[in-house]
Each structure stands twice: as C-alpha cells, then as structure tokens.
DNA sequence: AATAATAGTTATTAATAATAACTAATATGC
DNA sequence: GCATATTAGTTATTATTAATAACTATTATT
C-alpha cells in the first residue's frame, strides 16, 4: 500500500504520470531540451535553430523563392521576412532579383554563407549525437520516422 | 539522372532532406502541429497546453508547492506565476497558505477546477488519438518512451 | 482592360522562455 | 540566540517564435 504522507506537508514527490501518457507533453519537454542545446551549439556562429534551418534549405535549393522557403519550413511568410533579412544583412545569402518575376527573389547562399553553413552543420550533427546518445541509431531513425508521420 | 531545371526558373520542388535527418527539425514540426491542435481543442474550455498541464499536476498532487509544480513541469518559477494566477483567478485552484511555511502556498484544485479538468482531459485524449492516428498503439508508446529519454 | 491572385512586406498581437533582482520567511552555523 | 545563507514566491525585463490582417507591386486570368 502506498503510505499517505501527512496532508499538512507538501507531497514528498510529484507525479506527472497522467501527462506522461501524452506524446505532446513529452515532446514539449524533449523539444525544449533540444532547442536549448542546438541554440547553444549554434550561438558561437551567431545562428539559431530557425536561421540555421533557413540557411540549410537555401544552400540545398539555390534560386528558391521566399514563399517556397516558408512552405518548406512550415512557417508563415511574414515571419520568414526577418529571418531572411538577418541572413542577408550578414552576407550569408543573396536576395537576387528573380528572372522573369519582379515581385520575387531568388535566394542563394554566398560563399561566406556556405562556409558558415558547413561549420554549423558540424555543430548540429554533434548536437544531434549528444541529444540522442540514449538511443540506438535504429531507434533514432524510428523516432524521426514517427515524428514525420505526426505533422498535420 | 536527375534532370536539372532551368536555373533561371525557381526549383520546381524544394528539399529539406538534410534537415529531416535531425530529430530536432522533425520534432519542431510535429510539436507545432500538436501544440496548435491541443490549443484548439482546449480553447472552448479557455485552457491552453500550459494551463492544462499545470491543472493536471495540481489535481494529481494536491497540496504541492509552486516550486514543486515548476520543477515537475520543467518551467522556470517566474514563468509559472502567471499560470497559477490565471488558474486561481478563474477559481479553478486555490493558493492555500502552506501550513508551517508562511512563504509557500499549498496548491489545490477546486471542485470547479476538477470538473473542468475532467472535460479537458477528455478533449486532450481525443486530440492525442487524432494526432497519433498514423501510429499503432505500440508505436505511440515507443515514441513516448524515446522522447522521455531525450530530456536534458 | 478589368479583375483576381501572388510575392513580399509591415504592423500587431499573443504566448512562451530565460534571467536578474527583489521581499519575506525559514534554515543553518556558530 | 544571532548573523548569515538559503528558499518561496514575485516583479520586471528581454528575446524568440508564431499567427493574422492589411498593404504595395506585380503577374495571371477572363
């Protein structure tokens, strides 16, 4: 039998067992830990998860439009503007005029952007290894596959 | 061979394959979807993920201190204050004086709080089922177990 | 040519998270 | 018992992210 603690005292241990049955709760906790760690990993390069993600997609898809980038990252176009502003201001990317459409930009990483991205990628890979060291590689892949199936 | 699109045109498809190899990226996407859905599910009850989580731990651990709640939820104490303020203002919980420590409060759900919590729990269970309908129950459990191993 | 749709932007709001500094009260070391 | 350190809760501040409405300029549609 579980011995009841004196109700005049605070409970000696706190249970969040109910919440732990929900993937959203454990995911929030895991994501907060990951976000903090990746941001700390990228801070020496003056990048954050969001700016790194944007830079990555730009490096891998030269010439893409801002709206394509927003779609790819699942963020709203208005929120992407300041991200692209920041990357452009630091000369990591170029907003080239899109040939044939004067409304749009063709985004492209600069040499400086590609070099920084290479470093950042290494930092994020080290971060990933650190955060998932409690999982086997098969488990890590399974985790990614399951998370990919949860999106909207 | 992959046919190269005309470089004067925007890339016809955008790849985020590099990022998809990182658990943090897919977790962010999944969590954003979950957060939006759970908040929409709880909106009719005027709760959010955070206020629901706090209420849940208070219901399950009557008499706990604010600092215990903050620890349990892994949020900073200053950020918990307004959450508890909100629950108290709506008469969902009580900040009882902690017997024997005049600095502290013993948190307790009111009858109104417990009734709202019961409804909210049902809404969140339906949300969970909806979000994880692409996973078997074994997979869902495995996902939760792996996410639990990622925390800090 | 008129109208609708698209690309990007500005502005605004809400929510969350992190930190420093404070008050009041309790615990500790001597 | 007293000086000091620690703890509980709070206030204030800042940064980041996300969501939405409304706007300009341009392109596509009818």
């Amino acid at each position: 039998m579980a011995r009841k603690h004196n109700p005049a005292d605070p409970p000696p241990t706190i249970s969040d067992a109910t919440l732990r049955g929900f993937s959203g709760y454990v995911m929030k906790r895991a994501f907060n830990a990951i976000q903090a760690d990746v941001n700390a990993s990228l801070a020496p390069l003056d990048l954050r998860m969001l700016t790194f993600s944007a830079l990555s997609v730009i490096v891998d898809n030269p010439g893409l439009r801002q709206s394509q980038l927003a779609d790819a990252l699942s963020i709203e176009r208005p929120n992407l503007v300041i991200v692209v502003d920041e990357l452009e201001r630091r000369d990591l990317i170029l907003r080239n005029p899109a040939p044939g459409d004067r409304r749009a930009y063709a985004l492209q990483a600069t040499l400086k952007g590609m070099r920084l991205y290479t470093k950042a990628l290494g930092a994020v890979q080290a971060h990933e290894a650190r955060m998932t060291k409690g999982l086997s590689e098969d488990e890590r892949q399974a985790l990614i596959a399951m998370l990919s199936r949860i999106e909207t």
Side-chain angles (χ1 to χ4, degrees), chain A:
Chain A
M1 287 293 289
R3 225 196 40 204
K4 261 257 159 16
H5 71 275
N6 184 336
D9 290 339
T13 63
I14 304 301
S15 166
D16 61 351
T18 302
L19 296 176
R20 292 221 170 243
F22 294 117
S23 55
Y25 177 73
V26 291
M27 199 181 300
K28 178 185 184 171
R29 298 175 68 102
F31 178 67
N32 283 355
I34 284 184
Q35 168 121 305
D37 190 83
V38 77
N39 283 343
S41 301
L42 290 171
L45 305 176
D46 259 302
L47 290 171
R48 304 184 307 283
M49 180 182 274
L50 188 52
T51 52
F52 167 77
S53 298
L55 182 56
S56 172
V57 175
I58 295 169
V59 166
D60 285 350
N61 301 273
L64 85 168
R65 304 287 184 260
Q66 283 188 201
S67 50
Q68 290 180 306
L69 180 55
D71 280 355
L73 295 177
S74 280
I75 67 177
E76 300 300 322
R77 260 147 304 181
N79 294 329
L80 181 64
V81 173
I82 56 165
V83 173
V84 172
D85 281 351
E86 181 179 338
L87 295 175
E88 185 189 36
R89 182 181 47 72
R90 295 178 56 195
D91 299 314
L92 301 175
I93 66 163
L94 294 172
R95 270 201 259 231
N96 293 313
D101 190 342
R102 288 187 296 173
R103 294 170 301 182
Y105 295 120
L107 303 180
Q108 184 185 23
T110 62
L111 184 54
K112 182 178 172 192
M114 289 191 260
R115 286 181 175 149
L116 186 69
Y117 174 62
T118 300
K119 282 189 208 169
L121 190 55
V124 173
Q125 284 164 342
H127 143 83
E128 173 80 4
R130 203 161 49 235
M131 297 307 291
T132 60
K133 66 177 184 297
L135 306 178
S136 71
E137 176 59 17
D138 280 358
E139 286 176 322
R140 194 183 73 86
Q141 301 280 357
L143 174 64
I144 288 174
M146 286 192 280
L147 289 173
S148 296
R149 270 191 280 160
I150 282 187
E151 309 192 6
T152 41

